[in-house]
Amino acid sequence: MRSFCAACGTPIGYRSDDAPDEIDLTLCSLDSPAALAPRDHTQTADKLPWDVIGDGLPQYPHSRAQGLAG
């Protein structure tokens, strides 16, 4: 399920039945996105080959819950 701003249509969030305890929010939709530092990277299985993540944060190929389960 995707959610959008009722006023302008900007994508705001995403929720999947595959990870019912997670809600993904679009960072650029927040008033102060710089105030929130990432704690990990999810869905890295879908990243482009040239997108190299080198910040040392945990990476999960799919959801965080799937990564913690095994």
Side-chain angles (χ1 to χ4, degrees), residues 25-40 57:
L25 298 176
T26 306
L27 187 62
C28 64
S29 69
L30 302 176
D31 290 336
S32 301
L36 299 171
R39 64 180 186 189
D40 57 42
L57 294 175

Side-chain angles (χ1 to χ4, degrees), residues 2 5 7-8 12 15-17 22 31 36 52-53 65 70:
R2 296 184 185 277
C5 174
C8 68
I12 295 175
R15 188 174 204 162
S16 171
D17 290 339
E22 295 181 17
D31 290 336
L36 299 171
V52 178
I53 301 171

Side-chain angles (χ1 to χ4, degrees), residues 36-69:
L36 299 171
R39 64 180 186 189
D40 57 42
H41 301 280
T42 59
Q43 302 298 332
T44 58
D46 296 327
K47 72 179 185 62
L48 296 171
W50 49 258
D51 184 10
V52 178
I53 301 171
D55 57 13
L57 294 175
Q59 297 182 34
Y60 302 104
H62 302 289
S63 77
R64 187 178 303 112
Q66 290 171 323
L68 297 175

